[in-house]
Amino acid sequence: MTKQTIDVRERIIRAAAELLARGGRQAVSTRAVSAAAGVQAPTIYRQFGDMQGLLDAVARETLAGYVRQMATQERADAPIEDLRRGWNLHVAFGLANPAAYALIYGDPTTMADASAARDDLAILHGLVVRAAEAGRLQVSVPHAVRLLAAAGIGVTLSLIATPPEARDPRLSAAMREAVFAAITIAPTSDGAPDGAPGLGRVAARAVALRAVLAEAPGVLSLAERHLLGEWLDRLAGADD
């Protein structure tokens, strides 16, 4: 694309984003975007295919700033605190950008390109892996990611759907801590996982070994690594 084409595209996205933030999805009409961006309607369709394509582009651009913020956050020594901060930032992003958030997470079947949320999920996966490597996870990494994503998205959409004056300020923290209690195990004074009897400690150690297994690729054969992975998943209670 030429610089002029890129400038026109960015102007259209910026205009649509401002309309979306002020008036929600219904405010982003062809006529309104054309007027705000100073372009003819056919230009929008040449650039984005249709209005859904434009909305997808707006969602991606809005999410990109949040993803950059998450990616540049300095990591804490305690991985669970990083997870807690990540949850809080995700909810705050949704409440600050309710219309864009609903486009991304509200109805995935309407998204022409679901890549808008992939970077966010990749960052969550990285935070969960850190918790696993530290021996703080008592469920498999994929299962923990699914639980955190489902709960975080669900609570954010619930808060968005509730008028600000009626929102329960304790809801997000209560949901967060309930999920954390289900997936994590507390450390002892020497840093080893504790806080769950018997199988809970075994699961935490199995998940930790599973998370770092790829760091020793030449020690076991492919078949041995596959078998060990199955055993570790079973010890972790993995259902995937």
Side-chain angles (χ1 to χ4, degrees), residues 135-211:
R136 296 295 308 277
L137 217 59
Q138 61 175 331
V139 299
S140 71
V141 168
H143 189 52
V145 170
R146 285 194 295 269
L147 284 174
L148 286 164
I153 293 168
V155 78
T156 305
L157 289 172
S158 177
L159 289 169
I160 287 173
T162 305
E165 66 277 7
R167 289 173 186 162
D168 182 351
R170 302 163 298 178
L171 182 63
S172 175
M175 178 68 80
R176 181 194 66 212
E177 296 308 313
V179 176
F180 280 23
I183 68 174
T184 65
I185 186 169
T188 60
S189 58
D190 63 359
D194 195 14
L199 289 178
R201 286 191 290 275
V202 171
R205 286 168 170 81
V207 172
L209 180 55
R210 190 74 159 97

Side-chain angles (χ1 to χ4, degrees), residues 4 6 14 21 27 31 42 45 61 65 78 96 103 107 122-123 128 142 165 200 211 213 217 222 226 229 232 239:
Q4 182 179 4
I6 294 173
R14 186 164 56 248
R31 178 178 296 179
Y45 294 105
E61 288 296 314
L103 280 174
D107 184 3
I123 290 172
V128 172
E165 66 277 7
L213 196 57
L222 185 61
H226 181 74
L232 292 174
D239 58 355

Side-chain angles (χ1 to χ4, degrees), residues 24-46:
R25 185 169 182 165
Q26 298 305 314
V28 189
S29 65
T30 303
R31 178 178 296 179
V33 174
S34 298
V39 300
Q40 298 297 316
T43 303
I44 297 175
Y45 294 105
R46 281 198 301 270

